[in-house]
Amino acid sequence: MKTGDAIGRLAAVRLGRSGAAELVALMLFGLFLAAISAFGTDRASPVQRYLYWQLAMVGGGVVAALIEPVVAARLAGRPRLFALVQALAITPPIAVWVSLLPVVVLGARPSAGRILEVMPDVLVVNLAVVVLAWLTRTALRRSPVRPAAPDGVAPPVIRTRLPPRLARARLIAVEAEDHYLRIHTEAGSALVLMRMSDALEALSGLDGFRTHRSWWVARTAVETARWKGGRGELALSNGSAAPVSRTYAAALKGADWAAPVA
């Protein structure tokens, strides 16, 4: 196996919304915290200190990755509130994990009170990690070496789940159906197993709109727009109709349909 293929497969492995890039960032952050003997770990030996921080960061990252999709699904489109709620939500379980590490790594005595003692420190680190994850993902999205999707087709994370005929076709809309997404293209549609929150993250760089909690629509696929009672409906080029909820109607009513979405 070529090195590039191995790196590509590693990068494709994901837990929740997190992948290899976030894991590497956490490990590097753990090395930094160990190097400065953060939060009173200077009393431990160097081996114990580095092991402690690696387990703390990677274990905490796993906890955060499992909780993050739940928070993201409820706070899509509100990044600042999402970051705050995410940091608060992951703090208690990570505090439990961190309070157990001194027992295992440093030989400390078990203490239920340690959970409350470490909670403020864990919250500080979690806030830093949430910001670090955001910066990492932003850098990857802007990286010039990341292959750009052909104009109008689905992004790679969606395209690789489609049959070749649909993967080559222009994307029209994405519709949530229970635990699946129906991917509408000019060549037809298909159901794929994927979270709407993950699809929206992948679609963020494309020319389109979220019209409803269950719909994303490509701007160029909209043929007519009808409005009634604060809601709306978009007629699409494949003959289907996408609902527009009150949440998104105001922005779409003022949309410049001739200009690409920024």
Side-chain angles (χ1 to χ4, degrees):
M1 181 184 295
K2 295 181 179 179
T3 302
D5 293 338
I7 294 175
R9 291 191 177 185
L10 178 62
V13 176
R14 303 193 67 79
L15 179 61
R17 302 172 75 204
S18 300
E22 286 89 345
L23 175 61
V24 171
L26 285 172
M27 294 175 69
L28 292 174
F29 193 28
L31 290 176
F32 169 73
L33 293 174
I36 65 172
S37 302
F39 302 111
T41 52
D42 55 308
R43 294 185 293 273
S45 70
V47 172
Q48 290 177 320
R49 188 167 66 250
Y50 279 93
L51 178 60
Y52 171 86
W53 279 114
Q54 287 303 306
L55 290 174
M57 298 307 298
V58 174
V62 171
V63 172
L66 295 174
I67 294 176
E68 184 182 9
V70 179
V71 179
R74 288 161 174 77
L75 296 173
R78 305 179 69 181
R80 294 181 181 177
L81 181 59
F82 161 73
L84 177 60
V85 173
Q86 167 72 354
L88 293 174
I90 65 179
T91 292
I94 293 178
V96 173
W97 167 247
V98 170
S99 68
L100 293 174
L101 287 180
V103 179
V104 177
V105 179
L106 307 178
R109 292 182 179 181
S111 172
R114 184 177 290 114
I115 298 175
L116 294 178
E117 291 177 5
V118 302
M119 195 85 72
D121 294 342
V122 171
L123 178 58
V124 171
V125 174
N126 285 345
L127 289 170
V129 168
V130 169
V131 173
L132 181 64
W134 179 82
L135 291 174
T136 300
R137 291 169 183 172
T138 300
L140 288 175
R141 284 197 296 268
R142 294 177 179 176
S143 173
V145 300
R146 186 177 182 181
D151 185 38
V153 304
V157 69
I158 297 176
R159 196 164 65 241
T160 54
R161 301 167 188 247
L162 297 173
R165 182 174 64 90
L166 301 186
R168 294 189 299 267
R170 186 179 297 274
L171 181 64
I172 291 176
V174 175
E175 175 188 6
E177 294 186 9
D178 295 325
H179 299 295
Y180 293 83
L181 297 181
R182 181 169 295 280
I183 311 302
H184 298 271
T185 74
E186 289 183 340
S189 67
L191 281 174
V192 301
L193 181 60
M194 189 176 186
R195 296 186 184 92
M196 187 64 170
S197 58
D198 293 335
L200 289 172
E201 183 177 357
L203 292 163
S204 62
L206 272 66
D207 185 12
F209 308 89
R210 189 176 188 182
T211 67
H212 186 273
R213 63 184 177 86
S214 301
W215 279 82
W216 178 94
V217 173
R219 181 185 61 85
T220 54
V222 178
E223 296 197 339
T224 61
R226 295 183 291 272
W227 310 101
K228 184 178 181 180
R231 295 184 173 87
E233 184 178 83
L234 304 179
L236 306 181
S237 58
N238 66 341
S240 60
V244 182
S245 67
R246 292 180 184 272
T247 303
Y248 304 98
L252 291 180
K253 281 182 179 179
D256 182 354
W257 297 101
V261 178

